């Protein structure tokens, strides 16, 4: 079942499959593909060529720039996709950000008011807190926890099962 707010703007080339709920004033650009179950909160914007495969919940007022991929299979040999991807409010995902599904019921989470620059990869079962800045080409291995206010520098690779402390800076 599709529930699409009448105040939303969806480009005619967008493909929507399955259970997809699109809130008020959402804007979805050309050539996006959304496969439910997916919920997109009020005031969020998806630019062109975005791919979202549920289960995914996207909060309010997020900006998802071109060619972002949210909801591919976890990149962990032999693991099945479980849990959901949960994204809070007021985040900015710039070009080619990738977020994969989890391998546990906990899933993959991104908090509120985060700024992720281009080519960021958030692997399975990661949890990003709030007010985090992630520079270009950063890769988070699986099961990474990034606490509130952290800054991750250009091209950093964060090993799986790592914790980045609150307000720390990684270069």
């Amino acid at each position: 079942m599709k529930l699409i707010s009448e105040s939303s703007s969806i480009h005619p080339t967008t493909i929507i499959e399955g259970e997809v709920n699109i809130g008020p004033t959402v804007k979805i650009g050309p050539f996006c593909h959304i496969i439910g179950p997916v919920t997109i909160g009020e005031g969020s914007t998806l630019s062109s060529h975005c791919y979202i495969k549920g289960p995914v919940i996207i909060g309010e007022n997020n900006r998802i720039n071109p060619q972002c991929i949210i909801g591919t299979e976890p990149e962990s040999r032999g693991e099945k996709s479980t849990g959901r991807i949960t994204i809070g409010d007021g985040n900015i995902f710039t070009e080619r950000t990738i977020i994969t599904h989890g391998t546990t019921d906990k899933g993959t989470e991104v908090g509120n008011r985060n700024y992720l620059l281009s080519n960021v990869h958030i692997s399975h079962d990661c949890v990003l807190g709030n007010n985090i800045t992630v520079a270009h080409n950063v890769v988070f291995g699986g099961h990474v926890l990034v606490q509130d206010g952290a800054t991750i520098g250009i091209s950093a690779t964060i090993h799986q099962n790592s914790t980045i402390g609150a307000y720390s800076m990684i270069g």
Side-chain angles (χ1 to χ4, degrees), residues 18-50:
E19 184 180 326
V20 176
N21 298 316
I22 298 174
T25 66
V26 170
K27 295 177 184 164
I28 301 177
F31 304 108
C32 291
H33 191 175
I34 303 169
I35 304 168
V38 171
T39 298
I40 302 172
E42 180 175 354
S44 292
T45 300
L46 276 68
S47 296
S48 67
H49 296 88
C50 291

Side-chain angles (χ1 to χ4, degrees), residues 5 11 18 28 30 32-33 39 43-44 46 79 89 125 133 135 137 140:
S5 172
H11 194 275
I28 301 177
C32 291
H33 191 175
T39 298
S44 292
L46 276 68
E79 295 290 339
D89 300 329
D125 306 291
T133 301
N137 302 314
F140 295 100

Side-chain angles (χ1 to χ4, degrees), residues 134-145:
V134 182
H136 303 279
N137 302 314
V138 170
V139 176
F140 295 100
H143 301 277
V144 169
L145 169 63

